[in-house]
Amino acid sequence: MLKSSLARGIFTLAIGVVIWFCPMPDGLDPKAWHIFAIAVATIVGFILTPLPMGAMAIAGLTVAALTKTLSIGEALSGFGSTAIWLIVCAFLFARGFSNTGLGRRLAFLIMRAIGSSSLKLGYALAITDLILSPATPSSAARAGGILFPIVRGLCTAFDSEPGPSARKIGAYLMQLVYQIEGVVCAMFMTSMAGNPLMVELAAKTLNIELSWGQWLLASCLPGMVAMIAVPYILYLFYPPELKKTPEAPLYAAAELEKMGPMSLSEKLLSLIFICALILWCTSLNATLVAFMAVVAMLATRVLEWKEMTSETGAWDTLIWMGGLITLADMMSRKGFIPWFSKMIAASMSGIDWTYALVALILIYMYSHYAFASLTAHIGAMYAAFIAVAAAAGTPPYLAALAMAFTANICLSLTTYSGSPGPIYFGAGYVPQSTWWKLGFYFSIVNIVIWVGLGAVWWKVVGMW
Amino acid sequence: MLKSSLARGIFTLAIGVVIWFCPMPDGLDPKAWHIFAIAVATIVGFILTPLPMGAMAIAGLTVAALTKTLSIGEALSGFGSTAIWLIVCAFLFARGFSNTGLGRRLAFLIMRAIGSSSLKLGYALAITDLILSPATPSSAARAGGILFPIVRGLCTAFDSEPGPSARKIGAYLMQLVYQIEGVVCAMFMTSMAGNPLMVELAAKTLNIELSWGQWLLASCLPGMVAMIAVPYILYLFYPPELKKTPEAPLYAAAELEKMGPMSLSEKLLSLIFICALILWCTSLNATLVAFMAVVAMLATRVLEWKEMTSETGAWDTLIWMGGLITLADMMSRKGFIPWFSKMIAASMSGIDWTYALVALILIYMYSHYAFASLTAHIGAMYAAFIAVAAAAGTPPYLAALAMAFTANICLSLTTYSGSPGPIYFGAGYVPQSTWWKLGFYFSIVNIVIWVGLGAVWWKVVGMW
C-alpha cells in the first residue's frame, strides 16, 4: 500500500515536473505556465490520491508559494471564497438534520402519507431526498446517512433480503434511491458540494454569474421531469415483485410513534430551513443566507458549536476545495486560461458549436467511468471543458449549465461513481452487471432530459 | 444557564445597536462607524460568550454582510489571512508532537539529564516547554496535554499529593510550569495563537511588519533572562521542601525504557521540526514554512489526514480568529482606526509618550484580571492600545512589541487567566490566595524584564 502510494506520488510529482520544464508556448507569462503545471499535478493527485485530496491541495499551494509562482497571500485567497463557505455552512446545516432526527421524521411522514404501493414508496423516498437536498450538500450524508437506514429497515419489514428475495422490493428501492440521487444532486446549487465549485469555476473561466435562484430556474423543469420519469422507468424495466405495500405506511406510523412528538429543536430547524429556502430564492447572496442559517441554528441551540467544529467533512472540503479554487482562479488571472481558450478557438474555427458541445458532454459523461467522485471529476475537467465549449462558440450560459448538470447525472453510471454507490451496492441487493446496465440506460435518459429538454427550457426562459 | 446566556446575548446585541445608532462623529464614513459597532459587539460577545467565540465571529460577519456594511467577499477575507493559516498549521504540528509521543520523550530525556535537584527539575520542565513551544501555539496543548501528565506523575513518584505533602515538591512544580508558561508563550511568534494575531493587527493598525525572526530577536534577551529568573525566584519565595531529587532521573529513565526506542515517526518529526525552526529564522514567510512542515508530516505519514481534519482546535481558531481579523482589518480600511488615532493624538498633545505607554501597559496587564483567555484579551484591546500609544508619540515598533509581550506575560495573574490555569490549579496543590499573590509578584518581575530590559534591548538592536 505504502509502496504503491509512493509510486503514485512520484508519478504525480513527475507530471508536474515534466510540464514545468516543457518548452513554454510563446507569449505566455512563465508564471501562467507554472501555475498550470502545479494545477495539473494537483488534479492528477486528486485522482490518484497518493495522499488524500486535502493533503494534495495543501501540497499544491505550498509548491506554488515556494516557487514564487504565487505569493503566499494569493495561495491562501481561495479560503476566503464564497463558494467554500457556502459548502461549509451547508455541511453544518446537514449536521442539524441528522442530529435532530428531522431527516428521518420527514422520510417517515411522507411514507405514511403516500407509501401504499412500491411505486409510491419509491416516490416517497425520492421526495424525501429532494426535500433534504437544498440543505445537504453531501450525497453521502443524505442517501447514506439519512435514507439508507430507512430503506434497509423497509426491506427487512417486507422480508426482502439480499439473495432470492432481493427482487421482492429491496433491489428496486436500493436502485431507486441511487438513481434518484444524481437527479437530486443536480437540482439545487446547494445539494452537491461540487455545484458551487462549478458556479465559481464558470465565473472565473467564462465570467458569468449564476445565483442560487437562477440555478433552480434552470433545473426546475428538467429536474421535475426526471423526478417523475426515473422512478417510473425503473419500475417498468426493473420491477419489484411486490406491487402493493400496505405495510409501509403502518411501518412508518409505528416508527413515528416511537419517535414521539416533534422536539423543539426539530421545529426550530424546520423553521430555519424554510426561511433559508425562501431567502435563497431572493437576490441575497447564497453564502450570506447560509451564514444566517448557521447563526440561527447556533443561537437557538439546534446545533452546538462543538458539534460544528467536529464536522470533519466541512474542514476536509474547505481545504481541498479552497486549494482547487485558488489554482483555478490563478490559472485565469495569470493568463493561462485566456491563452488556452484563444488557442482552442482558433483550432476549432469552422466547426459547428453544437457538435462540439455534444461531443464534450458525451466525453465528460462517460469519462466518469474513471472517477469515484463527482467533485474530483469536476475539479479535473469542468473548467477546461466549458472553456473549450465556449471557445468553439457555445453560448456561455448554455455551456456552463449543460456541463454542470452532466457533471451531476453521471452519478448514475457505476457502483463507485459517488459516495452513496458503495453503500447501496454494498447492501447486496443489486448485482454489479445489472447496476452497470441500468446505470448506462439512465445516463441516456438523463442526458435527454437534462441536456436535450434542458437546452430548450433555458432558451425559453432566456438564459441563452 | 440558558436564561443567563440569553441575557448576555441581549446585552451584547444591545451594545451593538446603541453604538450603531449613536450620533456619528463628523467626517466619518457611516460604514466605518457601523463596522466599529459590529466589532465592539462581537468583542463584547467574545468576553461574555452568550455563544462560543466561533459562533460570535460568524454572527458578527453575518450582521456586517446583511447590513451591507461589508460585502460578502470582504466579510470572508480574513479566512485567507496568513496569520490564520500559520496558526492552523501550528495546531496540526502540535498534534504531531502529542500523537507520536515525541513531546513526552523530550521531557523525560531532559529530566534524565539534569533533573537531580528540585531546582534543576524545574529548569528541565521549563526547557521542555520552551523546546516544544515554536511548534505548539496552544498553551493548553503544551502545558496541559504534554507536560501536565508528566508533572502529575512526578509528584506521585515523590509522594507529594494535594494536602499536607503538597509543598514537598508538587506545589513548586505546578506553579513553576504555570509561571514559565507565560514566558514561553511570549518567546516565539508561533508559541501562542494570539501572537500572529497581534502581528497582523500591528500590520493593519500601525503599518509595521514583524517577521518570525524579528519577533525572536526581540524576545531572545528578555526571554532568556526570564527563563533563568522565574524558576529561581519561585525557588526562593515558594521553595519545595525536597531539595535533592535523585529519583527524578531514575523515574525518567524508567519511563524512557517503557517507551522503547524512538519510532520512525518520532525521528521524522524531529527532523521536520528542526528544518522548520531553521527556515522560520530565514526570510521565508512563516506561514509558508508551516505549510511545508504540514506537507512533510503528511507525506511521511507522521500524521494522517484524518487526524488533521479532526483537530477541532484548529477549526475553532480558524473561525473566531478569521472573523476577528476581518473586523479589525475593515475598521482600518473603512477609516475608523485612522480617525480614532487622529482624535486620540490630538487629545494627547503635550503628554510625554513614555508616561502614556507605561500607563497603557499597566492598564492592559491588570485588566487581565477580567479575562479568561490571552487571545480574547488581545482581540478586545491590543489594536486599540497600540493605536493610542502610537498616537501619543510612542515609536510604533516599541508600542507593538511592549504591548505584545505584556499580552503574554499577563498569563501569570490568576488561576483562570489562560487555559492551563484551571488544569494546574485544579490539580489541588496551590491554594488560590497563594496563586494570586505569586501571580501578582511575577507580573511585576515580568514587566521589569520584558518591558524595562526589553525596551533597552530593542533600542540596542535598532528596532526603534
Side-chain angles (χ1 to χ4, degrees):
Chain A
M1 179 63 198
L2 183 71
K3 201 185 157 191
S4 117
S5 79
L6 184 67
R8 283 178 283 141
I10 291 170
F11 181 76
T12 303
L13 204 66
I15 292 216
V17 171
V18 166
I19 298 179
W20 182 285
F21 289 108
C22 263
M24 233 175 283
D26 278 341
L28 198 61
D29 181 358
K31 284 195 180 174
W33 186 255
H34 292 162
I35 192 74
F36 169 64
I38 294 168
V40 170
T42 306
I43 288 164
V44 169
F46 277 15
I47 298 167
L48 299 182
T49 57
L51 293 172
M53 287 168 76
M56 287 309 309
I58 293 185
L61 295 181
T62 304
V63 171
L66 200 58
T67 55
K68 297 203 194 304
T69 309
L70 300 180
S71 75
I72 184 80
E74 287 176 326
L76 298 174
S77 61
F79 297 118
S81 126
T82 53
I84 298 286
W85 288 93
L86 178 55
I87 286 303
V88 169
C89 290
F91 267 104
L92 303 178
F93 217 147
R95 184 106 176 180
F97 271 92
S98 57
N99 278 19
T100 59
L102 183 62
R104 274 189 86 218
R105 183 184 300 276
L106 208 64
F108 288 128
L109 283 172
I110 296 170
M111 198 186 298
R112 188 176 66 181
I114 63 167
S116 61
S117 76
S118 312
L119 184 61
K120 284 188 189 165
L121 200 53
Y123 281 113
L125 291 167
I127 293 169
T128 309
D129 203 9
L130 183 68
I131 294 178
L132 294 174
S133 66
T136 317
S138 150
S139 57
R142 213 161 51 217
I146 296 175
L147 286 181
F148 182 75
I150 295 170
V151 174
R152 193 63 191 76
L154 271 172
C155 295
T156 305
F158 287 115
D159 282 327
S160 176
E161 297 294 333
S165 65
R167 291 296 304 271
K168 197 170 169 192
I169 190 162
Y172 173 72
L173 292 181
M174 292 284 173
Q175 189 61 210
L176 178 123
V177 175
Y178 188 75
Q179 289 302 341
I180 216 69
E181 193 54 40
V183 175
V184 167
C185 280
M187 198 70 94
F188 301 95
M189 195 201 283
T190 41
S191 56
M192 203 269 290
N195 291 347
L197 176 60
M198 290 192 283
V199 169
E200 186 105 1
L201 292 172
K204 294 196 187 308
T205 315
L206 304 186
N207 208 12
I208 61 177
E209 298 277 334
L210 270 175
S211 71
W212 199 90
Q214 281 173 303
W215 182 291
L216 182 56
L217 177 65
S219 72
C220 64
L221 184 78
M224 266 188 325
V225 171
M227 286 295 294
I228 294 167
V230 168
Y232 192 71
I233 295 174
L234 187 67
Y235 189 80
L236 292 181
F237 289 91
Y238 193 61
E241 293 160 7
L242 202 67
K243 308 289 175 190
K244 294 280 157 214
T245 57
E247 300 92 333
L250 300 177
Y251 172 75
E255 289 290 324
L256 284 169
E257 186 73 20
K258 262 192 258 170
M259 290 181 83
M262 251 177 124
S263 69
L264 180 62
S265 287
E266 286 177 86
K267 283 179 195 160
L268 287 167
L269 182 58
S270 312
L271 184 68
I272 295 168
F273 181 51
I274 292 167
C275 291
L277 283 185
I278 294 170
L279 290 174
W280 265 328
C281 294
T282 68
S283 64
L284 265 185
N285 179 286
T287 307
L288 176 56
V289 174
F291 265 103
M292 289 163 65
V294 167
V295 171
M297 283 198 291
L298 285 164
T300 54
R301 307 269 159 126
V302 167
L303 207 58
E304 293 293 332
W305 180 245
K306 281 202 174 173
E307 295 172 311
M308 289 204 178
T309 55
S310 56
E311 173 50 55
T312 58
W315 313 124
D316 186 21
T317 310
L318 167 76
I319 290 189
W320 73 255
M321 207 161 128
L324 192 62
I325 285 184
T326 301
L327 293 174
D329 186 22
M330 292 300 158
M331 280 208 287
S332 285
R333 282 208 216 172
K334 302 283 176 191
F336 181 81
I337 297 286
W339 167 82
F340 178 75
S341 307
K342 219 181 284 172
M343 204 188 61
I344 293 280
S347 75
M348 280 211 171
S349 66
I351 300 176
D352 190 340
W353 64 260
T354 44
Y355 293 118
L357 182 62
V358 169
L360 287 167
I361 294 239
L362 293 177
I363 295 171
Y364 191 108
M365 169 66 91
Y366 295 106
S367 61
H368 197 67
Y369 279 112
F371 284 91
S373 151
L374 296 182
T375 39
H377 193 174
I378 290 165
M381 296 172 56
Y382 183 78
F385 271 52
I386 57 171
V388 171
T394 314
Y397 274 96
L398 177 60
L401 288 170
M403 207 63 78
F405 294 127
T406 304
N408 279 289
I409 56 182
C410 59
L411 183 71
S412 71
L413 291 175
T414 68
T415 54
Y416 56 79
S417 51
S419 41
I423 304 170
Y424 282 79
F425 175 65
Y429 284 87
V430 184
Q432 175 136 332
S433 57
T434 310
W435 191 294
W436 280 59
K437 209 170 56 192
L438 289 169
F440 183 75
Y441 295 163
F442 277 108
S443 74
I444 296 170
V445 169
N446 275 318
I447 286 186
V448 171
I449 295 175
W450 285 94
V451 181
L453 176 62
V456 177
W457 170 241
W458 310 326
K459 185 81 187 173
V460 169
V461 295
M463 295 185 87
W464 62 281
Chain B
M1 180 63 199
L2 184 71
K3 202 186 157 192
S4 117
S5 78
L6 185 67
R8 283 178 284 143
I10 291 171
F11 181 75
T12 302
L13 204 67
I15 293 217
V17 171
V18 166
I19 298 179
W20 183 283
F21 289 108
C22 263
M24 233 175 282
D26 277 342
L28 197 62
D29 181 358
K31 282 193 180 175
W33 186 254
H34 291 163
I35 193 74
F36 168 64
I38 293 168
V40 170
T42 306
I43 288 165
V44 169
F46 278 15
I47 298 167
L48 299 182
T49 57
L51 292 172
M53 288 168 76
M56 286 310 308
I58 293 185
L61 296 181
T62 305
V63 171
L66 200 58
T67 55
K68 297 202 195 302
T69 309
L70 300 181
S71 75
I72 183 81
E74 287 176 325
L76 298 175
S77 61
F79 297 118
S81 127
T82 53
I84 298 288
W85 289 92
L86 178 55
I87 286 303
V88 169
C89 290
F91 266 105
L92 304 178
F93 218 147
R95 185 107 176 178
F97 271 93
S98 58
N99 277 19
T100 59
L102 183 61
R104 272 189 89 220
R105 183 183 298 277
L106 208 63
F108 287 128
L109 283 173
I110 296 171
M111 198 186 297
R112 190 176 63 182
I114 62 166
S116 61
S117 76
S118 311
L119 184 61
K120 284 188 189 164
L121 200 54
Y123 281 113
L125 291 168
I127 293 169
T128 309
D129 202 9
L130 183 69
I131 294 178
L132 294 173
S133 66
T136 318
S138 149
S139 57
R142 213 161 50 217
I146 296 175
L147 286 181
F148 182 75
I150 294 170
V151 175
R152 192 64 191 75
L154 271 173
C155 296
T156 304
F158 286 114
D159 282 328
S160 176
E161 297 293 333
S165 63
R167 290 297 304 271
K168 198 170 168 194
I169 190 163
Y172 173 71
L173 294 180
M174 292 284 173
Q175 188 61 211
L176 179 124
V177 176
Y178 188 74
Q179 289 303 342
I180 216 68
E181 193 54 40
V183 175
V184 167
C185 280
M187 197 70 94
F188 300 96
M189 194 201 282
T190 41
S191 57
M192 203 269 291
N195 291 349
L197 176 60
M198 290 191 283
V199 170
E200 185 105 2
L201 292 172
K204 293 195 188 311
T205 315
L206 304 186
N207 208 13
I208 61 176
E209 297 277 334
L210 270 175
S211 71
W212 198 90
Q214 281 173 303
W215 182 291
L216 182 57
L217 176 65
S219 71
C220 63
L221 183 79
M224 266 186 327
V225 172
M227 285 295 295
I228 294 167
V230 167
Y232 193 69
I233 294 175
L234 187 66
Y235 190 78
L236 291 181
F237 289 92
Y238 194 60
E241 293 160 7
L242 203 66
K243 308 288 173 187
K244 294 280 158 215
T245 57
E247 301 92 335
L250 300 176
Y251 173 76
E255 289 290 324
L256 284 169
E257 187 74 18
K258 261 192 256 168
M259 292 180 85
M262 252 179 125
S263 69
L264 180 63
S265 288
E266 285 177 86
K267 284 179 195 162
L268 288 167
L269 182 59
S270 310
L271 185 68
I272 295 169
F273 180 51
I274 291 167
C275 292
L277 283 186
I278 294 170
L279 290 174
W280 265 328
C281 294
T282 68
S283 64
L284 267 183
N285 178 286
T287 307
L288 176 56
V289 174
F291 264 102
M292 288 162 66
V294 167
V295 171
M297 284 199 290
L298 285 164
T300 55
R301 306 268 160 126
V302 167
L303 207 59
E304 293 293 333
W305 180 246
K306 279 200 177 174
E307 295 172 311
M308 290 204 178
T309 56
S310 56
E311 173 49 56
T312 57
W315 314 123
D316 186 21
T317 309
L318 168 75
I319 291 189
W320 73 255
M321 204 161 129
L324 191 63
I325 285 185
T326 301
L327 293 174
D329 186 24
M330 292 301 159
M331 280 208 286
S332 285
R333 282 208 215 173
K334 302 284 177 193
F336 181 81
I337 297 287
W339 167 83
F340 177 74
S341 308
K342 218 181 286 172
M343 205 188 61
I344 293 280
S347 74
M348 281 211 169
S349 64
I351 300 175
D352 189 341
W353 64 260
T354 45
Y355 293 119
L357 182 62
V358 169
L360 288 166
I361 295 236
L362 293 177
I363 295 172
Y364 192 107
M365 170 65 91
Y366 295 105
S367 62
H368 197 67
Y369 279 113
F371 284 91
S373 150
L374 296 182
T375 39
H377 193 175
I378 290 165
M381 297 173 55
Y382 183 77
F385 270 51
I386 57 171
V388 171
T394 314
Y397 274 97
L398 177 61
L401 288 170
M403 208 62 80
F405 294 127
T406 304
N408 279 290
I409 56 182
C410 59
L411 183 71
S412 71
L413 291 174
T414 67
T415 54
Y416 55 79
S417 51
S419 40
I423 303 170
Y424 283 79
F425 176 65
Y429 285 86
V430 184
Q432 176 135 334
S433 57
T434 311
W435 191 295
W436 279 59
K437 209 170 56 191
L438 289 169
F440 182 74
Y441 295 162
F442 278 107
S443 74
I444 296 171
V445 170
N446 274 318
I447 286 186
V448 170
I449 295 175
W450 286 94
V451 180
L453 175 62
V456 177
W457 170 241
W458 309 327
K459 186 80 187 175
V460 170
V461 296
M463 296 184 87
W464 63 279

